[in-house]
Amino acid sequence: MSGLRILVPVKRVIDYAIKPRVNKAGTAVETNGVKHSMNPFDELSIEQAVRLREAKVPVEDILVFSAGPTKSQETIRTAMAMGADRGIHVVEEKIELEPLGVAKLLKQVVEKENRNLVILGKQSIDDDAGQTGQMLAGLLGWPQATQASKVTIEGEQCTVTREVDGGVETLKAKLPMIITTDLRLNEPRYASLPNIMKAKKKPLEKKTLADYDVDVSKRMKTVKVIEPPPRQGGGKVDDVDGMISKLKELGAI
Amino acid sequence: MPPINRCLPALRCLRLVDNAAQRQSLRPLTRIARPTIRHHQSRLHHTQAEASSSASTADNAPQSPPATSKPEVKYTSESYPNIKRNSKFKELSADDVQYFKDLLGNESAVVDGVTKDASAELEGFNSDWMRKYRGQARLVLKPSSTEQVSKILAYCNKKLLAVNPQGGNTGLVGGSVPVYDEIVLNLSRMNKIRSFDDVSGILVADAGVILQQADEHAAKHGYIFPLDLGAKGSCQIGGNVATNAGGLRLLRYGSLHGNVLGLEAVLPDGTIVDDLSTLRKNNTGYDLKQLFIGGEGTLGIITAVSIICPQRSPAVNVAYFGLESYENVLQAFKESKKHLSEILSAFELMDVGSQHLYRNATGAKLPLEGEYPFYCLIETSGSNSDHDSEKLNAFLEHVMSEEIVADGVVAQDETQLQSLWACREGISEASQHWGGVYKYDLSIPLPELYDLVAECRERFKSNGLMGETDDHPVKDVVGYGHMGDSNLHLNVAVRRYDKAVEKALEPWVYEWVQKRQGSISAEHGLGLAKKEYVGYSRSETMLRLMKQIKDVYDPNGIMNPYKYI
């Protein structure tokens, strides 16, 4: 068997530790001047691909892919610093891609780049759609194992443990296949300085949507985005008497 | 938590649970019992600022194992038998208590242990959070205005009642709790922010405002409080100013002597010193407020401060390095100033021993694969993340190619940033894990900063007190600290407190520091713990001048007695 040719799609999203704010127009989340990082689930996917190689599974190459604004290249570089071999960036500043559009795009990447394993995050933390992996499996007609918490590959055979309600489920399938990653799969590594330097020299191909034959036009329109109502803060009382009168005031006693 | 990032906290929780489980299993080894009654101990729990207190005899109190009931903290008067209660101070009577009750006019403003038993309630005010010091106060007063403070002090001064000012009680040298029956004057009810100027960034607030609340208030306007430290969730800004706290942002924003623009304070005779200036420049006479900054409440009580807050930086980056030698650390520090100049906001040093303690105590994974004798943490804060990344990248490339730095990682997201900081901030707690720790907080000229740790380790190796097995009291000697401020934390992690260890350390450490014109207390102050050692850092002339000042402002000596100089 020839080795694994892995594709890992990554997305640049608002850092999960940052509290997102709705923009003034109430149409989307404010992204200007907000710290962005790699979607955490995608970090798990990269880590898993690199660990497969480190576990002596024959890996031919790890390709990282992203579609989005120019800054997404930083995310691709980070993935390469973690251990991916090369990157493709479809530069798209304006159109916000929907899961189906991304899945169609990825299908073409898989075919053009002759991939036999795709590891995706189970969802991106900005739109929480959680659809791309499944759609891609459907479009390619490949087996899929979603929400993986453990992945082992021997020869053509993939064994994936996934977390389901009340326990775990173990799936087996033959390559090629689609895996989506869940939180307990691994703990992503830090990008080390020497690897960050090396990543700068790794090949990164820049493409546009026109290089692929896909229809990515939007099918959905965001009508309105609103923040949840703010929590009403509690009050403090000075002493027991204060508390009793407060409780009376509220009709609790 | 908004829905778009709801899934990740789950991961964080898992890791926390993991750590908690590890700690639990290690707990029986821990001989220092944690404070259990203090309402804010959990906030302090994981952020214990570098406790500096020299190995006081309080440490040596045999503590019953945690399996039995909570051990009582030994009274400070027992651990310091040389300190006698000053008989000129009046003992509290029921009349005094009545006076204060009438004055404050609020049941909750007085904790009265004189006319009734309130020992449980008083305990939190009498003992410090490290459970090293315990006073015998029977009265706690919580005034809510400067006028009330003034009237309390005037009365105490007239009646010769000793007073112990208290903020968040997070001090590390026993300065915030009484020794005998001093009245505890707690500022927690004076907690209003008086004003914030959106243009200049000047904050005016009561002394009892919690540091974190002050910082959050400044953050709302896009500013940052110029002080940050581990105990920020409990400590009060009045106490921070009174102790001239240092902390993590000092390298960037300077000390409180520069950032505090004005003060409101009450002198022992009741005089209200209204110097709540909001001017950056004011060359009109002696700058008396400086005496209260770091005065540890021995001249008067600070009731409000005005402080200038710098702009908050939206872009923060953190890198963590492994280095082969201390010379390389010095070189890296020099280069970081050259390349990162205005965006450099922290340069912290950790030796390999400190990182091992952290790893072994918490079960956390260290960021680097290989092992190096020294580690550094660098933080940059700036206004534009693209510019900052460019500078940081140039710097990283430089130190890597010059082989100043052997290996390193850069935080790619906020989570990694926090776990890198944890490698530095977690050391203090980790060093207590095996039973106890002797801590020193020292200023030493940079070229010799680490020599002390190396020499100290040699000392314990040659005298046979340090070893792998349990019959050696010393587990390890580690050094870490604020490299950018020439501030070293020397920690001697021990399995049990032992007189022989203490004898090997003191006064040797102080003499070592004195020879190099260092300071025996860089940022934690004198309090009770360092009082008798101040001569190692200050000449007789200096001490005489200080005592003269004390006599001018507090002729009766009622303010925070038995401590400081």
Side-chain angles (χ1 to χ4, degrees):
Chain A
M1 173 202 116
S2 56
L4 288 173
R5 296 175 302 278
I6 307 174
L7 171 66
V8 183
V10 297
K11 186 172 185 184
R12 179 176 178 269
V13 299
I14 293 180
D15 193 288
Y16 104 86
I18 305 283
K19 192 177 189 304
R21 303 247 172 239
V22 173
N23 67 5
K24 286 214 173 74
T27 52
V29 169
E30 185 59 62
T31 52
N32 272 343
V34 178
K35 180 166 181 153
H36 282 66
S37 310
M38 191 192 301
N39 177 33
F41 291 103
D42 301 346
E43 279 187 327
L44 298 162
S45 310
I46 293 282
E47 179 67 30
Q48 195 54 39
V50 177
R51 284 192 190 188
L52 283 173
R53 171 181 278 158
E54 286 169 350
K56 305 277 185 258
V57 176
V59 173
E60 231 171 79
D61 84 327
I62 302 170
L63 169 64
V64 50
F65 173 91
S66 191
T70 318
K71 289 227 168 150
S72 304
Q73 282 169 25
E74 286 170 19
T75 311
I76 297 178
R77 291 282 175 206
T78 302
M80 294 199 289
M82 289 172 73
D85 301 305
R86 61 193 179 97
I88 294 178
H89 178 214
V90 171
V91 188
E92 180 47 60
E93 303 283 350
K94 288 196 197 79
I95 306 172
E96 219 174 290
L97 300 168
E98 288 174 354
L100 183 60
V102 176
K104 286 177 180 167
L105 195 54
L106 289 175
K107 174 173 184 276
Q108 297 210 3
V109 177
V110 166
E111 285 162 355
K112 279 191 181 173
E113 301 289 335
N114 189 25
R115 300 288 102 182
N116 57 6
L117 176 65
V118 187
I119 308 180
L120 307 87
K122 72 166 181 178
Q123 72 195 92
S124 67
I125 61 165
D126 53 358
D127 58 22
D128 270 353
Q131 299 165 358
T132 310
Q134 292 88 325
M135 287 176 170
L136 179 61
L139 291 172
L140 287 166
W142 287 7
Q144 60 172 322
T146 55
Q147 282 119 281
S149 63
K150 189 172 177 234
V151 174
T152 47
I153 296 179
E154 278 170 31
E156 295 279 298
Q157 193 74 258
C158 278
T159 310
V160 175
T161 305
R162 54 194 301 267
E163 289 183 14
V164 293
D165 283 348
V168 292
E169 179 181 63
T170 306
L171 299 178
K172 268 190 181 179
K174 277 213 166 112
L175 291 174
M177 79 175 289
I178 306 284
I179 296 172
T180 73
T181 56
D182 209 339
L183 291 174
R184 271 164 285 266
L185 180 59
N186 58 46
E187 196 178 328
R189 66 194 63 196
Y190 293 94
S192 79
L193 280 185
N195 287 337
I196 291 174
M197 303 298 159
K198 274 184 221 154
K200 289 187 178 168
K201 298 195 181 78
K202 289 182 179 174
L204 200 174
E205 253 182 284
K206 282 170 207 131
K207 299 201 166 194
T208 63
L209 282 174
D211 294 327
Y212 297 90
D213 174 27
V214 280
D215 172 20
V216 294
S217 53
K218 281 184 88 114
R219 295 169 162 232
M220 278 184 296
K221 188 178 160 212
T222 303
V223 183
K224 204 173 168 194
V225 180
I226 49 167
E227 285 190 24
R231 185 183 162 271
Q232 297 293 322
K236 254 191 182 172
V237 291
D238 274 338
D239 44 30
V240 176
D241 290 344
M243 185 170 77
I244 290 170
S245 59
K246 188 83 195 166
L247 288 174
K248 278 189 179 148
E249 195 184 306
L250 295 168
I253 49 172
Chain B
M1 183 65 61
I4 70 160
N5 47 14
R6 65 178 170 227
C7 37
L8 268 292
L11 174 64
R12 212 161 29 169
C13 287
L14 272 177
R15 284 186 194 158
L16 275 178
V17 167
D18 221 338
N19 284 345
Q22 302 235 19
R23 273 196 204 117
Q24 206 72 39
S25 64
L26 282 161
R27 182 155 288 169
L29 295 172
T30 311
R31 287 172 53 121
I32 285 204
R34 300 218 172 276
T36 49
I37 44 167
R38 302 283 307 285
H39 61 284
H40 57 250
Q41 63 102 356
S42 59
R43 278 180 292 176
L44 273 167
H45 178 85
H46 54 100
T47 47
Q48 305 167 4
E50 293 70 44
S52 71
S53 68
S54 63
S56 65
T57 42
D59 278 342
N60 298 325
Q63 307 219 6
S64 47
T68 65
S69 68
K70 176 171 67 73
E72 289 269 285
V73 185
K74 209 171 167 182
Y75 282 119
T76 308
S77 56
E78 289 167 27
S79 18
Y80 286 76
N82 295 334
I83 303 175
K84 301 273 179 260
R85 185 182 183 280
N86 190 334
S87 56
K88 80 170 177 186
F89 294 134
K90 180 183 180 298
E91 293 199 20
L92 277 164
S93 68
D95 290 347
D96 298 324
V97 176
Q98 196 52 47
Y99 174 84
F100 292 124
K101 279 187 179 163
D102 294 343
L103 172 66
L104 299 180
N106 185 331
E107 274 294 310
S108 59
V110 179
V111 181
D112 170 17
V114 178
T115 60
K116 53 188 177 195
D117 179 35
S119 47
E121 228 182 314
L122 286 168
E123 188 58 35
F125 299 96
N126 265 326
S127 46
D128 72 322
W129 71 271
M130 293 184 302
R131 297 177 65 81
K132 268 187 168 176
Y133 303 95
R134 182 163 168 232
Q136 301 160 35
R138 293 192 297 151
L139 182 66
V140 176
L141 302 176
K142 300 186 205 167
S144 57
S145 72
T146 309
E147 287 67 33
Q148 286 182 352
V149 175
S150 164
K151 286 189 179 131
I152 293 170
L153 287 192
Y155 182 86
C156 291
N157 199 38
K158 200 171 76 192
K159 300 269 178 174
L160 287 182
L161 287 161
V163 176
N164 180 100
Q166 187 177 74
N169 195 5
T170 61
L172 299 158
V173 288
S176 58
V177 287
V179 179
Y180 283 97
D181 57 346
E182 298 95 276
I183 297 172
V184 172
L185 204 152
N186 187 293
L187 277 294
S188 57
R189 275 157 56 90
M190 292 187 63
N191 58 358
K192 305 272 178 314
I193 287 179
R194 297 194 188 176
S195 67
F196 187 84
D197 180 2
D198 212 2
V199 178
S200 62
I202 294 169
L203 173 81
V204 181
D206 286 352
V209 171
I210 307 266
L211 175 59
Q212 191 161 10
Q213 284 166 0
D215 189 45
E216 279 164 12
H217 188 86
K220 264 190 262 166
H221 300 270
Y223 290 88
I224 186 169
F225 199 86
L227 173 75
D228 184 22
L229 41 83
K232 64 174 165 236
S234 307
C235 65
Q236 299 172 6
I237 58 173
N240 294 144
V241 173
T243 55
N244 189 23
L248 303 167
R249 290 177 186 157
L250 192 130
L251 172 71
R252 176 68 167 273
Y253 302 119
S255 90
L256 290 173
H257 278 299
N259 291 316
V260 172
L261 303 181
L263 285 181
E264 181 189 80
V266 179
L267 298 182
D269 66 1
T271 308
I272 296 176
V273 184
D274 182 2
D275 184 25
L276 212 48
S277 157
T278 51
L279 307 171
R280 293 209 74 173
K281 293 173 155 184
N282 185 10
N283 285 352
T284 51
Y286 298 118
D287 192 2
L288 293 178
K289 69 168 182 289
Q290 301 295 356
L291 294 176
F292 293 93
I293 303 174
E296 299 187 22
T298 57
L299 300 180
I301 295 184
I302 297 170
T303 50
V305 294
S306 98
I307 190 161
I308 183 143
C309 299
Q311 199 71 36
R312 205 174 191 93
S313 302
V316 178
N317 284 301
V318 170
Y320 178 98
F321 301 132
L323 304 98
E324 296 288 4
S325 71
Y326 185 68
E327 283 65 45
N328 285 358
V329 175
L330 290 174
Q331 195 66 26
F333 181 45
K334 218 173 117 190
E335 295 297 329
S336 70
K337 287 195 287 185
K338 207 192 289 175
H339 283 85
L340 303 170
S341 51
E342 78 285 357
I343 59 167
L344 183 65
S345 56
F347 193 107
E348 299 287 320
L349 167 75
M350 295 84 78
D351 67 1
V352 64
S354 71
Q355 294 301 276
H356 283 174
L357 284 186
Y358 169 70
R359 183 191 60 197
N360 297 342
T362 62
K365 200 169 144 248
L366 292 181
L368 296 180
E369 295 282 321
E371 195 163 284
Y372 305 93
F374 294 95
Y375 297 90
C376 286
L377 183 145
I378 288 185
E379 185 193 75
T380 66
S381 328
S383 56
N384 184 317
S385 63
D386 292 348
H387 295 180
D388 288 7
S389 312
E390 209 171 295
K391 282 180 201 164
L392 188 63
N393 282 336
F395 166 71
L396 296 177
E397 234 164 274
H398 176 74
V399 289
M400 281 300 287
S401 59
E402 297 285 313
E403 291 178 0
I404 298 167
V405 161
D407 197 0
V409 295
V410 182
Q412 300 296 331
D413 54 44
E414 206 56 34
T415 322
Q416 290 191 350
L417 191 149
Q418 278 157 20
S419 31
L420 290 183
W421 261 116
C423 296
R424 163 64 185 82
E425 292 188 296
I427 302 171
S428 181
E429 186 177 5
S431 53
Q432 293 201 19
H433 223 98
W434 285 267
V437 62
Y438 291 87
K439 285 168 178 264
Y440 298 88
D441 158 48
L442 312 157
S443 274
I444 301 169
L446 269 187
E448 297 174 290
L449 183 91
Y450 196 75
D451 294 353
L452 175 64
V453 183
E455 282 180 40
C456 187
R457 195 176 292 130
E458 274 312 307
R459 217 174 144 78
F460 280 116
K461 257 185 211 160
S462 54
N463 68 13
L465 289 173
M466 183 165 82
E468 289 300 314
T469 51
D470 275 351
D471 49 329
H472 300 90
V474 178
K475 181 168 167 65
D476 203 359
V477 176
V478 305
Y480 59 97
H482 314 295
M483 181 90 185
D485 313 327
S486 308
N487 184 182
L488 175 79
H489 296 302
L490 171 72
N491 278 16
V492 180
V494 292
R495 297 186 174 91
R496 57 192 166 269
Y497 290 118
D498 191 314
K499 274 277 171 210
V501 178
E502 198 180 322
K503 282 215 179 81
L505 281 167
E506 287 179 30
W508 178 77
V509 170
Y510 296 129
E511 283 166 0
W512 196 98
V513 171
Q514 183 185 33
K515 265 183 232 151
R516 284 144 186 97
Q517 278 85 45
S519 169
I520 59 152
S521 183
E523 59 180 8
H524 297 156
L526 297 169
L528 194 61
K530 304 283 178 76
K531 181 193 169 171
E532 54 180 309
Y533 303 107
V534 65
Y536 286 101
S537 283
R538 296 289 197 180
S539 69
E540 270 179 37
T541 315
M542 290 303 293
L543 289 173
R544 196 186 73 234
L545 293 176
M546 289 186 205
K547 281 177 180 148
Q548 282 174 358
I549 288 171
K550 168 81 175 170
D551 289 341
V552 169
Y553 287 104
D554 183 21
N556 293 335
I558 62 163
M559 297 303 297
N560 222 359
Y562 317 112
K563 299 168 194 159
Y564 205 51
I565 48 166

